[in-house]
């Protein structure tokens, strides 16, 4: 008769602990693999959402270009009551949504006017000093910014056919001019940086811009002109000159102003799944040509 080997209790305990440890190890590996798989799937979904949101954003920018082209075909007059000035609220686009607006840029003071042929332009400096004074900012900023703009402008090709900017934005200009970036950026609604000297569109210009660029015009007089403009926009530069106080009509430079704009910013937001993207794009429009996209910046 064969005897059964009796396993000591100590060995039974060791075997049980080993089994539990192996089971725990297998469970940990399974959990780790599952977590890595979920992470990988989330990354794939995020990349898909990001790519789709980017595609929607760039499609929206192209729609803005078409809108500006059609507007140019219908009228060579730009003003605040045109349909393209109305912001588009978020609308459904496939599995996401998009919104945006077009902003006219020639109603602002173009800082490119601070220099001419790579040297500070005193007329531009004087106009910017008027604008800074209206906002209680140091007048010596104007000359500092003019010197910085002149230095950067010398780095541009001549002629600047690619429409390159001398500086990227107001923050960069503030650093180059060694002035307070936060205080300068506060003027963003009144300032712009374009790749060439441009006329001021009097149908969009704020009272501070009209007062700064029109010699002898006070801020209160500019505010009255803008108030009257709300009822009837200017159909020509001469309309604006006629709206000036009588003593200023003969000295106002008509070449400094316009009622037709070439530069616009398209602000676009797109949402797709977990992704939310915001872009700014500078658009350049010429007659009888499709508007050009000069640069795109992700905000």
């Amino acid at each position: 008769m064969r005897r059964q080997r009796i396993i000591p209790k100590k060995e039974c305990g060791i075997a049980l602990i080993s089994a539990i440890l192996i089971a725990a190890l297998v469970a940990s590996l399974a959990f780790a693999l599952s977590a890595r798989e979920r992470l990988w799937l989330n990354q794939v979904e995020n990349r898909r959402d990001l790519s789709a949101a980017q595609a929607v954003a760039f499609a929206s920018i192209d729609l803005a270009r078409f809108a500006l082209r059609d507007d140019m075909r219908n009228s060579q007059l730009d003003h605040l009551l045109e349909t393209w000035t109305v912001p588009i609220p978020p609308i459904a686009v496939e599995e996401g949504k998009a919104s945006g607006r077009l902003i006219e840029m020639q109603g602002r003071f173009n800082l490119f006017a601070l220099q001419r042929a790579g040297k500070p332009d005193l007329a531009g400096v004087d106009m910017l000093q008027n604008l800074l004074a209206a906002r209680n900012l140091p007048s010596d900023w104007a000359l500092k910014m003019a010197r910085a703009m002149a230095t950067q402008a010398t780095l541009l090709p001549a002629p600047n056919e690619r429409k390159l900017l001398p500086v990227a934005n107001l923050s960069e200009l503030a650093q180059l001019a060694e002035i307070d970036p936060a205080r300068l950026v506060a003027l963003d609604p009144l300032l712009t940086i374009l790749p060439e000297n441009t006329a001021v569109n009097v149908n969009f210009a704020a009272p501070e811009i009209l007062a700064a660029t029109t010699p002898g015009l006070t801020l209160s007089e500019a505010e009255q002109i803008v108030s009257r403009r709300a009822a009837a926009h200017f159909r020509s530069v001469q309309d604006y000159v006629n709206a000036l106080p009588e003593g200023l009509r003969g000295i106002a430079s008509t070449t400094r102003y316009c009622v037709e704009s070439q530069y616009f910013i398209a602000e676009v937001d797109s949402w797709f799944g977990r992704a939310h993207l915001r872009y700014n794009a500078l658009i350049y429009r010429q007659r009888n040509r499709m508007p050009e996209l000069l640069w795109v910046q992700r905000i």
Side-chain angles (χ1 to χ4, degrees):
M1 183 175 178
R2 190 175 180 182
R3 294 182 179 181
Q4 283 187 336
R5 180 174 176 268
I6 299 175
I7 301 175
K9 290 183 178 181
K10 185 177 180 180
E11 293 185 17
C12 288
I14 293 174
L16 180 60
I17 292 173
S18 299
I20 293 173
L21 290 175
I22 292 172
L25 179 60
V26 171
S28 298
L29 289 173
F31 179 79
L33 290 173
S34 176
R36 293 191 65 177
E37 183 180 6
R38 287 196 302 271
L39 177 62
W40 178 78
L41 288 174
N42 286 337
Q43 289 176 339
V44 170
E45 290 176 359
N46 288 340
R47 290 175 182 174
R48 181 203 63 186
D49 293 344
L50 188 65
S51 177
Q54 190 177 53
V56 169
F58 277 82
S60 300
I61 292 172
D62 282 338
L63 285 176
R65 294 170 62 207
F66 281 110
L68 290 174
R69 182 201 62 181
D70 293 342
D71 174 72
M72 174 64 76
R73 289 175 174 176
N74 295 329
S75 172
Q76 279 74 53
L77 179 66
D78 295 308
H79 54 84
L80 285 164
L81 298 181
E82 292 200 277
T83 55
W84 59 262
T85 63
V86 180
I88 299 176
I91 57 175
V93 181
E94 296 182 357
E95 299 178 24
K97 57 183 179 179
S99 67
R101 63 172 180 162
L102 276 166
I103 304 174
E104 192 277 344
M105 299 307 291
Q106 288 180 228
R108 306 183 181 195
F109 181 78
N110 181 7
L111 295 174
F112 198 91
L114 292 177
Q115 63 79 40
R116 186 176 299 275
K119 296 181 179 180
D121 185 89
L122 296 182
V125 170
D126 185 59
M127 287 186 285
L128 182 57
Q129 285 178 335
N130 294 336
L131 181 58
L132 293 171
R135 289 300 181 94
N136 297 316
L137 292 172
S139 60
D140 63 337
W141 281 13
L143 187 55
K144 290 181 179 179
M145 293 164 65
R147 289 170 177 165
M149 285 291 294
T151 300
Q152 294 303 111
T154 59
L155 304 178
L156 296 175
N160 187 15
E161 296 177 350
R162 295 175 56 195
K163 303 293 183 185
L164 301 176
L165 297 181
V167 295
N169 49 48
L170 294 181
S171 295
E172 181 182 347
L173 178 59
Q175 292 176 358
L176 293 171
E178 298 182 346
I179 60 179
D180 186 356
R183 296 175 71 188
L184 180 61
V185 172
L187 287 178
D188 182 70
L190 299 176
L191 302 178
T192 186
I193 301 172
L194 299 175
E196 61 181 337
N197 214 339
T198 54
V200 175
N201 189 319
V202 292
N203 281 323
F204 289 89
E208 295 93 333
I209 300 299
L210 295 179
T213 58
T214 306
L217 185 68
T218 66
L219 183 58
S220 61
E221 290 170 339
E223 289 173 343
Q224 294 175 10
I225 291 174
V226 169
S227 179
R228 293 197 300 269
R229 185 186 69 189
H233 56 266
F234 300 118
R235 302 194 64 84
S236 67
V237 173
Q238 191 59 47
D239 280 353
Y240 170 69
V241 173
N242 294 339
L244 294 173
E246 188 172 353
L248 302 180
R249 295 173 188 173
I251 61 176
S253 173
T254 56
T255 59
R256 188 173 292 168
Y257 310 104
C258 69
V259 291
E260 178 184 344
S261 298
Q262 293 181 294
Y263 289 93
F264 305 82
I265 288 285
E267 289 186 353
V268 171
D269 282 88
S270 64
W271 296 263
F272 200 97
R274 302 186 184 99
H276 173 204
L277 297 180
R278 174 172 293 173
Y279 286 96
N280 281 356
L282 180 62
I283 299 175
Y284 172 61
R285 183 179 69 175
Q286 290 178 285
R287 291 186 183 182
N288 304 318
R289 295 183 60 180
M290 183 68 182
E292 298 178 39
L293 185 60
L294 298 185
W295 55 253
V296 179
Q297 179 184 21
R298 182 175 171 181
I299 305 301

